[in-house]
């Protein structure tokens, strides 16, 4: 069922509609293995799913989407797989640039970009530049992202501000801290979806997910459809969020 339609006919209270969805795009390797294909084929298929789901989220009016594309731990994979993934990121971001522009999507990259090739870094900078004037869906692409390294980075930035006399220790609160994260100024994710059957965060949005609802699904990412997203949103809408209250 389409959740926006539900919102319109009033069966889902507006507060139950997620403003921010996170997706851990997992299961590409297993999808390929099942078909006797190399893992790279799974990543290519997963990239197509990424494109399809971004378009769908933008179409249904989602405000913030965060996709986990490459973790700080994914460098541990065989060099050939990492090289393939970096090539795929370049190709996809290049192709998507126009599409993002046309759909008024504002792209934000979460993670340490300095580890990427000069070409990829240039492409990211171009997309960020074009994105500045966009007012539609915010698409956060987590690439070379790790929740722990993001928190350490924020702690260092705060320590440096204190050292320089720009901030007092007493003034440090959750808001000050959150403003030093890559997601600065954005709401926390209401819902995180992880396909592939794994039931863990794998270092995704550790700070931001304090009160997030999780939906774990058995479908592998390359097979993930618009309908799966609707199902996850329906499950989310039926949850009772309490935030520590009653
Ligand atoms: C997710 O799929 C893609 C990345 C982590 C880059 P995987 O490659 O982790 O697929 P599985 O988990 O091995 O099936
Ligand atoms: C998490 O998936 C990272 C991304 C999907 C980008 P992994 O496949 O790396 O996670 P683990 O190793 O199963 O925890
Ligand atoms: Mg995996």
């Amino acid at each position: 069922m389409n959740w926006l339609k539900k919102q319109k006919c009033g069966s889902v209270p507006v507060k139950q509609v997620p403003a921010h969805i996170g997706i851990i795009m997992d299961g590409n390797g297993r999808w390929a293995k099942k078909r006797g294909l190399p893992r790279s084929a799974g990543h290519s298929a997963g990239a197509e799913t990424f494109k399809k789901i971004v378009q769908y989220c933008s179409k249904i009016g989602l405000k913030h989407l965060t996709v986990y594309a490459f973790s700080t731990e994914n460098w541990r994979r065989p060099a050939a797989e990492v090289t393939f993934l970096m090539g795929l990121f370049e190709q996809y971001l290049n192709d998507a640039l126009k599409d993002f522009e046309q759909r008024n999507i504002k792209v934000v990259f979460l993670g340490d970009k300095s580890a990427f090739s000069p070409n990829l870094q240039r492409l990211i900078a171009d997309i960020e530049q074009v994105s500045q004037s966009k007012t539609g869906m915010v698409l956060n692409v987590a690439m070379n992202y790790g929740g722990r390294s993001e928190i350490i980075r924020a702690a260092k930035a705060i320590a440096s501000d204190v050292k320089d006399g720009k901030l007092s220790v007493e003034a440090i609160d959750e808001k000050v801290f959150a403003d030093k994260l890559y997601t600065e100024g954005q709401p926390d994710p209401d819902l995180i979806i992880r396909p592939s059957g794994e039931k863990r965060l794998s270092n995704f949005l550790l700070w931001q997910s304090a009160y997030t609802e999780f939906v774990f699904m058995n479908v592998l990412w390359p097979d993930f459809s618009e309908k799966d997203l609707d199902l996850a949103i329906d499950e989310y809408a039926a949850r009772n969020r309490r935030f520590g209250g009653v």
Side-chain angles (χ1 to χ4, degrees):
M1 193 183 303
N2 185 305
W3 61 282
L4 265 194
K5 267 193 227 131
K6 282 175 79 176
Q7 183 196 7
K8 271 184 209 138
C9 63
S11 59
V12 175
V14 171
K15 73 178 178 59
Q16 299 279 66
V17 173
H20 185 173
I21 296 179
I23 304 182
I24 301 175
M25 305 187 290
D26 194 22
N28 296 349
R30 278 163 284 173
W31 182 92
K33 196 172 174 205
K34 255 174 59 181
R35 286 163 177 76
L37 297 169
R39 291 178 59 83
S40 56
H43 294 314
S44 298
E48 286 296 319
T49 305
F50 159 74
K51 206 161 116 186
K52 179 179 76 183
I53 294 301
V54 168
Q55 290 176 358
Y56 184 62
C57 287
S58 151
K59 193 178 100 192
I60 63 177
L62 185 72
K63 297 227 161 25
H64 299 259
L65 172 68
T66 301
V67 292
Y68 202 8
F70 193 88
S71 74
T72 46
E73 289 72 46
N74 286 146
W75 299 105
R76 292 177 188 159
R77 296 185 176 202
E81 182 170 345
V82 170
T83 305
F84 183 86
L85 281 166
M86 293 301 143
L88 200 59
F89 294 152
E90 264 188 51
Q91 188 196 316
Y92 258 76
L93 291 177
N94 217 350
D95 291 353
L97 207 139
K98 273 211 170 60
D99 189 53
F100 293 153
E101 206 177 345
Q102 277 161 6
R103 287 173 202 274
N104 196 23
I105 294 174
K106 185 188 176 89
V107 187
V108 176
F109 290 90
L110 316 182
D112 177 9
K113 299 160 205 159
S114 68
F116 298 133
S117 71
N119 255 351
L120 189 49
Q121 288 192 47
R122 214 170 304 123
L123 192 55
I124 288 173
D126 287 350
I127 294 177
E128 284 175 331
Q129 171 66 30
V130 170
S131 283
Q132 274 178 15
S133 59
K134 299 298 169 209
T135 52
M137 181 176 82
V138 176
L139 169 65
N140 296 302
V141 181
M143 265 170 63
N144 192 23
Y145 171 88
R148 286 186 173 180
S149 82
E150 180 185 39
I151 288 169
I152 298 280
R153 179 177 170 271
K156 281 183 179 168
I158 285 175
S160 162
D161 281 357
V162 170
K163 192 169 130 227
D164 296 345
K166 291 187 209 151
L167 182 70
S168 73
V169 170
E170 294 68 35
I172 302 170
D173 60 13
E174 292 184 11
K175 165 87 173 69
V176 167
F177 198 87
D179 282 347
K180 298 289 189 192
L181 299 173
Y182 292 120
T183 48
E184 177 199 350
Q186 298 194 47
D188 288 338
D190 300 299
L191 165 65
I192 288 180
I193 304 168
R194 183 166 192 160
S196 92
E198 307 300 350
K199 296 181 176 67
R200 54 179 170 262
L201 263 182
S202 301
N203 210 5
F204 187 48
L205 302 179
L206 296 184
W207 168 279
Q208 298 87 340
S209 62
Y211 274 100
T212 297
E213 297 294 328
F214 293 96
V215 172
F216 297 108
M217 305 175 92
N218 283 325
V219 57
L220 300 170
W221 176 248
D223 290 329
F224 192 91
S225 66
E226 291 92 341
K227 190 155 189 308
D228 292 311
L229 193 87
D230 284 346
L231 283 174
I233 294 171
D234 282 349
E235 186 173 334
Y236 165 86
R239 302 269 177 93
N240 179 13
R241 302 181 80 186
R242 284 185 291 277
F243 300 96
V246 288

